[in-house]
Amino acid sequence: NKRNSICFIISLEAVATAVQRVAGMLQRSDQLDKVEQYRRREARKKASVEARLKAAIQSQLDGVRTGLSQLHNALGDVKDIQNSLADVSKDWRQSINTIENLKDVKDAVVQHSQLASAVENLKNIFSVPEIVADTQVLIEQAELLEAHRKLMDLECSRDDLMYEQYRMDSKNTHDMNLIRNYFGEVQGLSDDLAKQLWMVLQRAMGTVRRDPTMLVSVVRIIEREEKIDRRMLDRKKQTGFIPPGRPKSWKEKMFEVLEGTVTTRIEGSQSVTREADKMWMVRLLEITRKYVLDDLIVVKNLMVQCFPPHYNTFDRFFKLYHNAVSMRVQELAAEDLEANEIVSLLTWVLNTYKSEEMMGHPELLTEYDINLMDPLLPQEVVDELLSKYLQTFTSNITGWLRKALETDKKDWFKETEPEADQDGYYQTTLPAIVFQMFEQNLQVAAQINETFKEQVLKLCLKQMNSFLVRYREEAIAYKEDHLRDRQLPQCYVQYMIAIINNCHTFKESINSLKKKYFKSTEPTQNDAAIEKTLNDVAKDGCQFLLDEVFLDLEHHLNELLTRKWLTGTHAVDTICVTVEDYFNDFARIKKPFNTEMTSEAHRRVVVEYIKAVMQKRITFKNADERREGADRMIKEAEQFKFLFKKLTAGEETDRLCDAIAAIAEVFKLTDPTLLYLEVSTLVSKYPDIREEHIVALLAMRGDASRDMKQMIMETLNQNKPTYSGITQPIFKDITVPTAWTVVLKDL
């Protein structure tokens, strides 16, 4: 029923499919004319499908028929085999006794084989002592191939006899020992020959140049022994028997000897010690470089031809030399190396080794890529050496800088002036010495790599900052020593100028080093500190020199605004001459320090002059004295203007000196009722002026009543201008005696 249902469903699907196809063909009325044509086409398709189905069914039926026939034949073959096995089993059971009776025949066959082997080796057996003696002579005469041929004959005879004995009775140790003892000298010959082979291999570099055939003979002998070793090991797997002394493993031993030869060659390159020659490391590394390069070129051009291709001779020697050099430099790195030795070693390891001067030589590059090898020194060892170098360098450079400063200090006390550069500026040798040290160490560091070079530069700058702090301290101490006795040192001013100029040289040298050895344009962490310290040293130096000037001017400054000054004195003339004389020496100070110092001297002269006004060294008695004093102040202000215009090459100097003239105008005024206006003008020009300054001026004038002073002060307080701080202050640092402060409080 289930089968009928399936067939019915299939029939329905077929009818539905046919209806769809017919509907698709007859969608238009004009297609009705082609109904007969459609019917014939569908009939042909149906006939074609039926033919294919019949062919497929026929093919399957033929296959089934053939398979059944083969299965029938196979069944017959299985029955025949079963019968044959039964016959074989019957025959085997019947022949067991016969096989046991043939044991004697088997023993006779083994004995016959042994006797045949003995007969075959009989000639060698009786002539063993003679062959041994001949072989010994050949070994001594270095006739290695012939000696090895005789040795192989002896070993072959011994091994065959022992093998036959082993086959006959493997537990008969007496007969085995008898054969072994009879051939006892053979093992000695083998050892002697091996010694000769190892000796030739140890001298391989010389032998391949002088007599390459000798090296070829050695390799051929080792290859023969390797083949015999393989044959003996195969027989051992089958029979369990292995001749004495096998496997010899001479090939493995050959590579060990070559490795030892290379290691000895590298280790033997040290010809001098540190005690005998400070440059021992450089010499050792150069000899090693030469040995390795020469030897590898010999390997490439000569030795490769003496070994079979499958030995990969050049690659093997390349690795042997690389490993030997690596071991040697690691031994050197473990020693207590000095800073210059560390640099020499690392420069050689990181640069020279892979360069064209050594493993990167054009003749070697075609054979092997050195970049495929491990580094000579592990990175942690390199880092440790670099760290050790930096520690040593830090200690050394601290000592060098201290010594350089001590040497420079001694020059400060000389009785001769310091040297001048090509532009006439005083200088000492300190900057040149310091930066020559830095330059040398940076050049050395650059040989290692860029990163390390920048590390050394940063360390130099860090040490430079510490050094400049000490430099400033020594300059201060130098000034204090001078103040104890101003006659000493004789060239104090000149050397203080040199110290100031050195700051400018230090700045230029630092910038030059950074530009040359530092790729980044970003400032380092020490730049700001170095800049500040150098500015402080230069500023201190300029201040010390100005102090020196004003110590000489002190007596003349004390004469200003006194009765003596009013009646006529040459104090200002002397001040101007003295300042000009000093600034003739100060012309040897480099810019901008020279310019800044001139401006400060100008400001300080004016401040000292105004201080004299504020100290009330004189009180004018009448209008004539006020006019005379004011005229003198205006005249002297003009002298100062002229002097400092001359010193500053015509730059503007009026404002500071105008403060003196403005004060003089307050004194010169004849009508006291107009004092407020004059004072107001002064305050507007110089807003940093304080109340006590105005009180002192009015008191010095001598004709201002208490009420007038109070009125002026109150009015000024109400209309006091604000001080922006843009203009250079004059009155800010001028103190007024305590007496005027008391007067101000009374007001």
Side-chain angles (χ1 to χ4, degrees):
N1 293 332
K2 185 177 181 180
R3 183 177 178 183
N4 292 334
S5 298
I6 292 172
C7 291
F8 179 72
I9 291 170
I10 291 173
S11 298
L12 291 177
E13 289 179 351
V15 171
T17 301
V19 169
Q20 287 180 354
R21 290 193 63 188
V22 170
M25 292 177 184
L26 302 177
Q27 290 181 352
R28 298 188 308 274
S29 59
D30 59 339
Q31 291 178 328
L32 293 174
D33 298 336
K34 299 179 180 179
V35 168
E36 185 61 28
Q37 181 181 347
Y38 291 155
R39 188 185 63 77
R40 287 196 298 270
R41 186 176 67 186
E42 292 301 321
R44 287 195 298 272
K45 287 183 179 180
K46 179 181 178 183
S48 174
V49 169
E50 289 176 349
R52 288 199 300 272
L53 286 173
K54 289 180 181 179
I57 292 171
Q58 185 63 41
S59 175
Q60 288 181 353
L61 291 174
D62 291 343
V64 170
R65 189 179 296 108
T66 302
L68 290 173
S69 174
Q70 289 176 348
L71 287 173
H72 181 74
N73 294 336
L75 179 62
D77 292 340
V78 167
K79 290 181 179 179
D80 292 341
I81 292 170
Q82 187 177 11
N83 295 332
S84 298
L85 287 174
D87 294 340
V88 169
S89 176
K90 180 179 178 182
D91 293 341
W92 177 74
R93 290 192 185 93
Q94 292 175 355
S95 61
I96 289 177
N97 295 330
T98 305
I99 293 172
E100 291 178 354
N101 294 333
L102 291 175
K103 183 177 180 182
D104 295 337
V105 176
K106 179 182 177 183
D107 294 340
V109 170
V110 172
Q111 187 175 10
H112 178 270
S113 174
Q114 292 173 343
L115 292 173
S117 178
V119 169
E120 184 179 349
N121 294 289
L122 195 60
K123 180 179 179 181
N124 290 338
I125 292 172
F126 284 115
S127 59
V128 165
E130 180 183 350
I131 297 174
V132 168
D134 291 345
T135 305
Q136 189 67 52
V137 171
L138 291 171
I139 292 173
E140 293 172 357
Q141 293 177 349
E143 297 291 339
L144 302 182
L145 280 176
E146 184 62 23
H148 185 249
R149 186 184 65 77
K150 291 183 175 294
L151 176 64
M152 285 195 300
D153 291 342
L154 290 171
E155 288 180 338
C156 183
S157 299
R158 180 198 63 186
D159 295 348
D160 286 349
L161 290 173
M162 293 185 73
Y163 176 63
E164 294 301 334
Q165 175 61 38
Y166 179 84
R167 287 178 59 194
M168 182 175 69
D169 186 2
S170 61
K171 296 181 181 180
N172 189 346
T173 57
H174 178 270
D175 290 348
M176 279 288 196
N177 290 333
L178 182 66
I179 299 172
R180 183 181 288 108
N181 292 335
Y182 185 77
F183 287 91
E185 294 183 3
V186 173
Q187 186 60 42
L189 287 176
S190 178
D191 295 340
D192 291 343
L193 179 61
K195 290 178 182 178
Q196 288 294 322
L197 300 181
W198 311 148
M199 189 179 300
V200 172
L201 289 171
Q202 288 169 354
R203 302 170 181 172
M205 288 299 168
T207 302
V208 77
R209 291 184 177 97
R210 184 179 61 257
D211 184 11
T213 56
M214 175 66 75
L215 187 59
V216 172
S217 298
V218 170
V219 176
R220 288 178 62 188
I221 291 170
I222 291 171
E223 278 294 288
R224 289 176 185 173
E225 289 295 337
E226 279 296 300
K227 290 180 181 179
I228 296 173
D229 278 351
R230 288 195 293 272
R231 191 167 66 249
M232 293 298 105
L233 289 172
D234 289 342
R235 187 164 69 179
K236 180 185 178 182
K237 292 178 181 178
Q238 297 174 1
T239 65
F241 173 76
I242 186 79
R246 293 289 176 184
K248 292 183 179 180
S249 303
W250 277 6
K251 182 178 180 181
E252 181 179 343
K253 178 64 176 176
M254 173 184 69
F255 292 131
E256 292 177 2
V257 171
L258 291 174
E259 182 177 358
T261 301
V262 171
T263 302
T264 303
R265 175 81 161 161
I266 299 302
E267 291 178 349
S269 59
Q270 182 169 346
S271 57
V272 292
T273 60
R274 178 185 295 148
E275 292 73 20
D277 187 351
K278 291 294 183 182
M279 300 296 290
W280 70 277
M281 178 67 77
V282 175
R283 296 184 186 279
L284 166 61
L285 295 174
E286 176 58 22
I287 291 172
T288 302
R289 183 198 68 79
K290 189 175 184 304
Y291 280 1
V292 172
L293 180 59
D294 291 348
D295 289 356
L296 287 177
I297 290 176
V298 169
V299 171
K300 174 181 178 290
N301 295 329
L302 298 176
M303 195 172 291
V304 168
Q305 303 171 19
C306 300
F307 290 83
H310 66 273
Y311 275 36
N312 296 320
T313 306
F314 184 83
D315 289 1
R316 189 178 294 275
F317 269 94
F318 197 93
K319 293 175 182 177
L320 288 178
Y321 274 96
H322 176 80
N323 293 336
V325 171
S326 179
M327 289 176 58
R328 182 60 179 139
V329 296
Q330 289 187 52
E331 291 173 359
L332 292 172
E335 295 185 14
D336 187 16
L337 299 179
E338 297 177 358
N340 62 318
E341 294 167 353
I342 292 174
V343 170
S344 298
L345 180 61
L346 289 179
T347 301
W348 193 88
V349 167
L350 300 176
N351 298 322
T352 304
Y353 185 71
K354 291 185 178 182
S355 70
E356 292 185 358
E357 298 177 4
M358 197 170 175
M359 306 304 262
H361 191 276
E363 285 201 50
L364 305 183
L365 276 178
T366 58
E367 301 295 327
Y368 201 89
D369 184 1
I370 183 59
N371 294 316
L372 299 177
M373 303 297 290
D374 293 333
L376 281 182
L377 285 177
Q379 188 59 44
E380 57 268 21
V381 176
V382 173
D383 293 341
E384 184 179 343
L385 286 175
L386 291 176
S387 176
K388 183 178 179 182
Y389 173 83
L390 290 175
Q391 292 175 2
T392 306
F393 174 68
T394 302
S395 175
N396 289 346
I397 202 168
T398 302
W400 294 336
L401 291 172
R402 185 182 298 111
K403 185 176 180 181
L405 183 54
E406 290 297 326
T407 303
D408 202 58
K409 277 173 55 183
K410 292 178 182 178
D411 292 342
W412 298 352
F413 294 90
K414 287 182 177 180
E415 297 180 359
T416 57
E417 294 183 356
E419 296 179 357
D421 63 13
Q422 58 186 4
D423 297 320
Y425 297 115
Y426 286 135
Q427 63 180 6
T428 68
T429 58
L430 182 62
I433 292 172
V434 169
F435 283 95
Q436 184 179 7
M437 287 189 295
F438 287 172
E439 181 81 27
Q440 289 173 352
N441 283 280
L442 285 167
Q443 287 176 355
V444 169
Q447 296 174 8
I448 297 177
N449 57 48
E450 288 292 323
T451 303
F452 184 63
K453 177 191 68 177
E454 293 187 359
Q455 283 183 312
V456 171
L457 176 58
K458 290 178 181 178
L459 182 57
C460 288
L461 295 177
K462 182 179 179 181
Q463 292 300 313
M464 185 68 191
N465 188 35
S466 302
F467 165 75
L468 289 174
V469 172
R470 293 195 298 272
Y471 189 52
R472 184 186 184 190
E473 293 169 354
E474 294 296 342
I476 294 172
Y478 181 54
K479 181 263 298 187
E480 292 173 349
D481 287 342
H482 172 68
L483 292 180
R484 294 187 188 99
D485 182 358
R486 292 190 63 212
Q487 301 303 315
L488 297 174
Q490 292 185 10
C491 297
Y492 168 78
V493 171
Q494 289 79 5
Y495 276 100
M496 188 58 73
I497 291 172
I499 290 172
I500 296 170
N501 289 337
N502 285 349
C503 294
H504 185 272
T505 307
F506 278 131
K507 284 185 179 181
E508 289 183 337
S509 300
I510 289 171
N511 290 333
S512 176
L513 279 185
K514 288 173 61 181
K515 188 176 295 184
K516 185 175 181 180
Y517 293 103
F518 201 58
K519 286 185 176 180
S520 175
T521 57
E522 294 294 324
T524 66
Q525 60 181 5
N526 295 296
D527 287 356
I530 290 174
E531 181 77 16
K532 181 180 182 302
T533 307
L534 284 172
N535 289 336
D536 289 344
V537 174
K539 184 178 179 181
D540 287 349
C542 292
Q543 191 65 43
F544 298 158
L545 291 176
L546 288 178
D547 290 344
E548 185 74 6
V549 175
F550 282 89
L551 281 173
D552 285 350
L553 297 179
E554 185 175 5
H555 173 70
H556 306 292
L557 290 170
N558 288 335
E559 290 184 3
L560 297 175
L561 279 297
T562 61
R563 283 288 166 189
K564 182 179 179 182
W565 167 80
L566 186 61
T567 58
T569 179
H570 298 290
V572 171
D573 294 335
T574 305
I575 290 171
C576 290
V577 170
T578 304
V579 170
E580 185 173 5
D581 181 57
Y582 267 104
F583 270 84
N584 285 334
D585 289 336
F586 297 165
R588 293 175 178 266
I589 299 176
K590 294 181 178 180
K591 291 182 179 181
F593 307 127
N594 179 295
T595 305
E596 293 171 358
M597 189 172 176
T598 305
S599 299
E600 178 60 20
H602 185 191
R603 189 193 73 82
R604 195 162 167 181
V605 166
V606 173
V607 167
E608 291 295 330
Y609 195 99
I610 297 176
K611 277 183 180 179
V613 175
M614 300 301 168
Q615 289 172 359
K616 198 190 175 185
R617 297 173 183 175
I618 184 176
T619 301
F620 298 121
K621 296 178 180 179
N622 51 50
D624 291 336
E625 282 190 358
R626 286 193 289 274
R627 185 183 65 255
E628 184 180 349
D631 290 341
R632 180 175 286 275
M633 289 175 67
I634 293 170
K635 176 186 174 185
E636 290 172 349
E638 290 299 323
Q639 284 182 264
F640 290 145
K641 282 184 183 181
F642 178 79
L643 170 65
F644 286 104
K645 275 188 177 180
K646 183 178 179 181
L647 295 180
T648 57
E651 292 183 13
E652 178 60 41
T653 60
D654 290 350
R655 183 178 182 279
L656 290 170
C657 294
D658 285 346
I660 299 174
I663 293 172
E665 292 297 332
V666 174
F667 294 151
K668 193 175 181 180
L669 187 67
T670 57
D671 185 357
T673 59
L674 298 177
L675 267 177
Y676 168 72
L677 295 175
E678 200 63 48
V679 172
S680 298
T681 302
L682 177 64
V683 172
S684 64
K685 287 183 178 179
Y686 304 97
D688 62 319
I689 194 169
R690 300 191 297 275
E691 293 179 355
E692 58 265 31
H693 295 142
I694 297 172
V695 171
L697 292 178
L698 295 176
M700 186 175 173
R701 179 179 167 84
D703 65 344
S705 64
R706 181 182 181 87
D707 293 338
M708 182 179 292
K709 292 177 183 177
Q710 188 172 359
M711 183 271 293
I712 291 173
M713 296 307 301
E714 289 176 355
T715 306
L716 286 176
N717 285 332
Q718 294 174 3
N719 302 288
K720 188 174 182 179
T722 57
Y723 174 54
S724 64
I726 297 174
T727 57
Q728 184 180 14
I730 299 174
F731 294 89
K732 179 182 178 182
D733 299 325
I734 298 176
T735 58
V736 178
T738 308
W740 300 129
T741 307
V742 174
V743 171
L744 179 61
K745 289 181 179 178
D746 292 341
L747 293 176

